[in-house]
Amino acid sequence: MKSIITIELGTNAVRVFAFDLKGNVIGSSKGYCPTFHTEPDHSEQDPEQIFITMLYVLKNLLNEKIHPKKYKVATICFSSSMHSVLAVDKNGNPIGNAITWADNRANKEAQELKSSAAGKAIYNATGTPLHPMSPLVKISWIKNSDKERFRQTAKFLSIKSYIIHQLTGEYIIDYSIASATGLLNIHTIKWEPDALKFAGISEAMLPELVSVYTPAGKLKKAYQNSLGLTVDTKIIVGSSDGCMATLGDGVKGEGKATITIEDSGAVRVMGNRVLQDEKQRFFNYLLTENCYVSGGPTNNGGVIFEWFARQFGDFKNPFDVEQSMQELIAEASKVAVGSDGLLFLPYLLGERAPIWNANARGAYFGLNIKHEKKHFVRATIEGILYEIYSIGKILEEHRTIKSLSINGSFATIPFCSQMIADMFNKPVRLRQNFHSVSFGAFLLSAIEMGIYQSLDEAATRVEMPDTFKPQKQNHAVYAGYFSVFEKLSNSLSDEFEAIANLQHKDVAAQRKNKTPIKK
């Protein structure tokens, strides 16, 4: 019996799934990876820790679910979060940590490029909004502010490219992840010269561009032995988590959109044309040639509610965040729609779509003396979902959306699923106990193996049997409060910038005045 393994290199966790060739889940496993915020606007991860976690989780799944049942692993397909940057030296060794999508240190470079004559042309060519999330401006920041690291760098990699290099020795990057770097021309599928010039690098400092179906080379002998895999186990480079979640929900063509909320979040559509937006509010990423996943991302998804739970939840057992979150959601369910006038701006990590403001900050608004803890809980959840709704609204300026599918651990909480249906006033489809990113990677592998003949055929095989229907009276309440939420988000840009500048000055002063430790 053959099986397909999918490995998702997410921001907060590595998730490994095993499928049989009919798409049934044989087993799954997960390992967590921390993110380090050493300074304001800095978000980094240790690439070696991610690699070791991935090996550990994969080996456990193989030993517990695959080898005992005599499954043969035909394919291992990767997916990963987008926008990571890792500098490596000529021997492939990391120079420092990987910089993640949530990192905003390149805000100055992003603003300069966005206001320049070249900025609009680069956005139109690459489909990647000009924002600190973009590897294009991250590399420019390293060039300008970390000159020694830039000098030592032989290649700039994504986390997925680094992991694949560790396993096979090959330096490759798929079109999908590459199209989220701000360095790839999504029309020619070649590295964009103007973007390379801005970053100060050459094509030789980037991995080789390949299709998402491309075999990534042979697994090194040491890992064949350690994992109990054969030399003919195919390693497929795969795609990005966003593109895989969209495919995994069967969203292709007019009338459908998908919402993902894990740590971050996004609203996406998939089709055969690029969405042209003069305000540069959308991304347009390649899945394959002439197939684009378009939409808008938010920095502030489930990670914000987890932050709230850690700060204000009750912990019966140390570190039991999930239990604390469940109890908080139970509290929130006791509060009326709209949180009795309490609003939350969820911008704890700055923001991408639709305001694209790295300086954005979080705030509670409308607070009065009758508000209790339970109101803050519900307002926090509503604020996260108002932000998602704001992305969906502008996406509807370009595409017809009649129904939504949702995925991600936060979005698929029934309480949140119903909120999404009510806010959008559209039916919401999902499949419980279903991981869309991994299923999308399964479908990609199945296409490569010839089980399905095309993306269109694979998308039609996705079943989403559970539906949340919108409650119109709730939609009317949400619409009123959302209007205030939207005005606040757009009108506070000067205040966001002012407080960000003050914070940076404080950090600089503290660093300057710090007394050296005597040895």
Side-chain angles (χ1 to χ4, degrees):
M1 296 183 293
K2 291 184 178 181
S3 65
I4 291 172
I5 301 289
T6 68
I7 300 176
E8 180 200 356
L9 306 169
T11 307
N12 69 333
V14 174
R15 297 175 178 85
V16 181
F17 276 71
F19 296 88
D20 65 22
L21 297 191
K22 293 182 179 179
N24 300 308
V25 175
I26 300 168
S28 65
S29 188
K30 178 169 67 174
Y32 291 97
C33 302
T35 298
F36 310 112
H37 306 284
T38 54
E39 294 186 37
D41 294 329
H42 285 217
S43 295
E44 299 183 346
Q45 291 188 308
D46 181 347
E48 287 298 316
Q49 188 172 31
I50 295 172
F51 181 61
I52 292 168
T53 300
M54 184 274 298
L55 287 177
Y56 176 80
V57 174
L58 175 58
K59 188 169 184 176
N60 281 350
L61 182 64
L62 290 170
N63 289 339
E64 291 174 7
K65 300 291 185 180
I66 301 303
H67 298 325
K69 296 180 180 180
K70 306 300 181 183
Y71 278 102
K72 176 180 173 59
V73 178
T75 295
I76 297 175
C77 183
F78 280 90
S79 66
S80 73
S81 56
M82 294 171 276
H83 312 301
S84 58
V85 170
L86 176 64
V88 300
D89 64 19
K90 62 182 180 180
N91 297 314
N93 299 314
I95 308 172
N97 286 329
I99 303 173
T100 77
W101 57 266
D103 194 282
N104 286 322
R105 74 185 73 178
N107 192 26
K108 178 183 176 182
E109 284 78 6
Q111 292 303 318
E112 288 179 355
L113 181 58
K114 195 168 186 176
S115 61
S116 71
K120 184 175 181 180
I122 288 177
Y123 169 74
N124 289 335
T126 66
T128 304
L130 305 176
H131 181 272
M133 70 171 186
S134 169
L136 163 65
V137 294
K138 286 185 173 79
I139 294 171
S140 181
W141 180 90
I142 295 172
K143 176 187 67 175
N144 297 334
S145 303
D146 196 347
K147 292 180 169 43
E148 183 57 24
R149 173 158 47 165
F150 190 81
R151 187 189 66 78
Q152 293 180 35
T153 300
K155 286 189 182 292
F156 287 102
L157 306 177
S158 70
I159 280 291
K160 183 160 65 123
S161 292
Y162 174 73
I163 297 297
I164 288 175
H165 179 260
Q166 292 291 93
L167 292 173
T168 69
E170 301 292 331
Y171 282 120
I172 59 176
I173 185 170
D174 65 89
Y175 297 157
S176 183
I177 289 289
S179 68
T181 63
L183 293 159
L184 181 77
N185 187 311
I186 59 173
H187 309 286
T188 64
I189 317 185
K190 295 180 180 178
W191 296 118
E192 172 58 33
D194 289 342
L196 293 173
K197 182 179 179 181
F198 179 81
I201 61 173
S202 64
E203 288 187 22
M205 296 180 73
L206 297 170
E208 179 189 355
L209 288 166
V210 297
S211 161
V212 294
Y213 301 112
T214 300
K218 298 293 184 183
L219 195 62
K220 291 178 180 178
K221 188 70 175 178
Y223 297 120
Q224 292 176 34
N225 295 335
S226 173
L227 298 170
L229 298 174
T230 61
V231 67
D232 58 345
T233 299
K234 194 176 290 186
I235 310 297
I236 301 296
V237 62
S239 181
S240 68
D241 54 3
C243 289
M244 289 295 84
T246 308
L247 177 62
D249 276 1
V251 173
K252 193 170 189 299
E254 199 69 30
K256 298 179 181 179
T258 187
I259 293 172
T260 300
I261 313 178
E262 283 285 356
D263 275 6
S264 58
V267 185
R268 307 183 188 90
V269 296
M270 181 160 63
N272 298 327
R273 62 184 177 89
V274 172
L275 298 189
Q276 301 290 346
D277 186 70
E278 287 298 316
K279 297 179 182 178
Q280 302 183 23
R281 294 173 295 179
F282 298 134
F283 57 71
N284 287 282
Y285 299 145
L286 275 172
L287 177 53
T288 62
E289 295 90 336
N290 299 316
C291 182
Y292 303 95
V293 174
S294 305
T298 172
N299 287 355
N300 301 286
V303 67
I304 304 305
F305 192 60
E306 183 176 330
W307 163 84
F308 185 93
R310 290 185 184 278
Q311 307 308 317
F312 308 111
D314 295 322
F315 288 84
K316 295 176 182 176
N317 298 307
F319 312 113
D320 193 352
V321 179
E322 291 187 4
Q323 178 63 35
S324 177
M325 290 169 70
Q326 290 174 9
E327 292 174 357
L328 289 171
I329 288 170
E331 282 193 65
S333 67
K334 300 172 185 176
V335 179
V337 171
S339 302
D340 289 334
L342 183 61
L343 285 170
F344 174 57
L345 302 185
Y347 308 130
L348 273 61
L349 290 168
E351 193 48 283
R352 292 183 285 177
I355 62 174
W356 294 102
N357 187 342
N359 290 325
R361 294 293 186 265
Y364 288 94
F365 180 82
L367 181 63
N368 67 54
I369 202 164
K370 290 187 176 181
H371 286 132
E372 303 172 23
K373 176 182 173 181
K374 62 185 179 180
H375 294 92
F376 282 87
V377 181
R378 182 166 188 128
T380 300
I381 298 171
E382 287 179 342
I384 294 167
L385 299 182
Y386 282 141
E387 168 57 19
I388 289 289
Y389 178 53
S390 70
I391 298 171
K393 275 193 67 178
I394 61 170
L395 197 54
E396 285 192 283
E397 295 174 16
H398 298 263
R399 288 283 290 271
T400 300
I401 300 174
K402 296 179 179 179
S403 66
L404 299 164
S405 60
I406 57 173
N407 59 74
S409 56
F410 189 80
T412 53
I413 297 169
F415 183 69
C416 299
S417 301
Q418 186 61 55
M419 274 191 185
I420 292 170
D422 293 346
M423 285 185 185
F424 280 83
N425 199 28
K426 300 180 191 300
V428 166
R429 302 178 305 121
L430 77 157
R431 190 163 76 187
Q432 297 292 342
N433 303 316
F434 177 75
H435 194 253
S436 298
V437 175
S438 298
F439 193 69
F442 161 78
L443 291 176
L444 198 72
S445 300
I447 295 168
E448 192 276 335
M449 294 173 69
I451 297 172
Y452 303 124
Q453 299 305 308
S454 66
L455 287 171
D456 288 308
E457 182 186 351
T460 62
R461 300 301 174 94
V462 177
E463 297 179 356
M464 306 286 280
D466 300 327
T467 302
F468 288 81
K469 296 181 179 180
Q471 299 176 22
K472 290 187 178 180
Q473 68 274 22
N474 289 348
H475 175 70
V477 175
Y478 282 134
Y481 283 119
F482 174 75
S483 178
V484 180
F485 174 92
E486 190 174 38
K487 288 176 183 176
L488 287 170
S489 299
N490 291 317
S491 65
L492 291 175
S493 58
D494 289 344
E495 288 76 13
F496 288 152
E497 183 176 2
I499 203 165
N501 290 338
L502 287 170
Q503 185 181 22
H504 287 302
K505 286 180 181 178
D506 287 345
V507 171
Q510 291 169 17
R511 191 183 294 120
K512 184 177 180 180
N513 296 329
K514 188 175 181 180
T515 304
I517 299 174
K518 294 182 180 180
K519 294 184 178 180

